[in-house]
Amino acid sequence: MFLGKIFGFGRSEPRYIRRTRAYLQEARMAMLEHTIAAEHYQSSAQMYAERAARLEEELHAWEQGDQHAPAVPHHYAYPTRAVQKAVAVDTAPVSGVVRAA
């Protein structure tokens, strides 16, 4: 009897128990996925809260008459014009006809 439970022979589980195990596994995976998504959205919310606070400070400084450029450096550099470089491509000459299967 004990070996039957370990190796799966003998009395098998009812269909509803197998279905319940599958639903349990699905629920655990959904919980994990939503936990990961919640962490992502929490970090995004924190980033936007910091951005809003920084922009409010800039607006407040402007309204108070302090009209110089903000001392806060930008986190992302503005894209510069990239210099195009020539790339050499070595190709073998094509000989014959190639047919698709």
Side-chain angles (χ1 to χ4, degrees):
M1 184 62 115
F2 177 72
L3 291 176
K5 289 183 180 180
I6 291 177
F7 294 109
F9 57 85
R11 291 179 33 180
S12 63
E13 295 178 333
R15 184 181 305 161
Y16 73 93
I17 293 295
R18 290 193 306 265
R19 190 178 313 132
T20 302
R21 288 185 193 278
Y23 290 156
L24 176 61
Q25 182 66 23
E26 182 181 329
R28 286 180 177 162
M29 288 301 296
M31 179 183 65
L32 178 63
E33 290 171 355
H34 285 277
T35 301
I36 292 169
E39 292 173 358
H40 168 74
Y41 285 116
Q42 179 62 36
S43 64
S44 294
Q46 182 179 357
M47 179 194 67
Y48 283 118
E50 292 171 359
R51 180 180 182 199
R54 187 178 70 246
L55 293 172
E56 286 174 352
E57 288 176 8
E58 289 182 20
L59 285 175
H60 182 70
W62 177 263
E63 291 169 351
Q64 296 299 320
D66 187 15
Q67 298 179 1
H68 67 280
V72 179
H74 292 285
H75 293 286
Y76 303 105
Y78 291 106
T80 58
R81 184 169 268 199
V83 177
Q84 298 292 331
K85 295 182 180 179
V87 178
V89 179
D90 295 332
T91 59
V94 178
S95 62
V97 177
V98 178
R99 295 184 185 183

